[in-house]
Amino acid sequence: MAKRRSLKSDTCPMARSLDIVGDQWSLLIIRDAFDGMKRFGEFQQSLGVAKNILADRLKNLVQEGVLALAPASDGTMYQEYVLTPKGNGLFPVVVGLRHWGEQHLYGKGEAHSVLVERGSGKPVRKLDLRAHDGKPLDAADTFVKKLPVKKPAAKKLPVKQAARGKAQPG
């Protein structure tokens, strides 16, 4: 299989994100982590993925700061994978994909899982995007604006030192 081209330096935030979580196994590992799984064996049993692929994806997610290794919470010698703040930031992405799948990938009456609030047991409302004034947004209401590259500010010398620097030959 051909080696994937890295998107780490791409100017598009979506491309950079996909460089980290753009394969099915990485997102499914993250989904399982949100569902409380922490150990290699739990992920392997849930996903049915080959151990070498799972090990590779977990290693990458740790290197990228999405997951962290922590001592096992039960005091055993094992280590657990826990979501970092960066990893927790993917929750709206996972929920958005879930909602999209529920809406577009199931037939009427076909069984599927549903994300519910722990406290109330009620289904989580569908995510929606809103404009600054609260009105609903769709793709036609938006565009991508390229931001200028920020150059590091030149180090400024104190006024006296700058004046001396001009008087001296270079």
Side-chain angles (χ1 to χ4, degrees):
M1 182 160 58
K3 184 151 172 81
R4 228 171 32 113
R5 179 178 72 92
S6 174
L7 302 172
K8 287 183 187 297
S9 60
D10 200 283
T11 58
C12 173
M14 185 170 174
R16 287 188 184 197
S17 300
L18 289 172
D19 197 62
I20 298 170
V21 297
D23 70 278
Q24 67 183 13
W25 299 119
S26 295
L27 277 174
L28 291 172
I29 290 166
I30 293 163
R31 174 208 62 190
D32 283 355
F34 280 119
D35 287 344
M37 293 182 200
K38 296 177 186 233
R39 294 202 176 167
F40 186 95
E42 292 174 322
F43 291 117
Q44 209 281 321
Q45 185 176 4
S46 170
L47 300 172
V49 62
K51 290 180 180 181
N52 64 321
I53 293 172
L54 178 58
D56 179 66
R57 296 316 187 276
L58 286 167
K59 178 182 173 187
N60 184 58
L61 291 169
V62 169
Q63 285 175 340
E64 293 293 342
V66 173
L67 295 174
L69 281 169
S73 55
D74 63 4
T76 62
M77 296 297 295
Y78 293 101
Q79 288 189 308
E80 296 177 339
Y81 295 92
V82 294
L83 288 160
T84 64
K86 186 176 183 179
N88 278 310
L90 287 165
F91 187 64
V93 174
V94 172
V95 171
L97 280 171
R98 170 179 278 287
H99 286 160
W100 179 83
E102 288 172 358
Q103 183 176 355
H104 298 287
L105 304 178
Y106 290 89
K108 188 172 183 131
E110 188 177 357
H112 61 82
S113 61
V114 177
L115 184 65
V116 297
E117 293 180 37
R118 253 184 230 287
S120 69
K122 295 187 182 202
V124 172
R125 283 185 13 194
K126 186 176 180 269
L127 295 176
D128 65 340
L129 298 177
R130 300 280 173 170
H132 68 279
D133 62 3
K135 292 180 184 171
L137 279 177
D138 65 22
D141 299 320
T142 67
F143 71 97
V144 174
K145 179 181 176 181
K146 300 263 185 191
L147 297 176
V149 176
K150 291 183 179 179
K151 295 181 182 178
K155 192 172 182 179
K156 294 185 178 182
L157 297 173
V159 176
K160 287 182 182 179
Q161 206 175 358
R164 276 191 303 222
K166 288 182 184 175
Q168 296 180 4

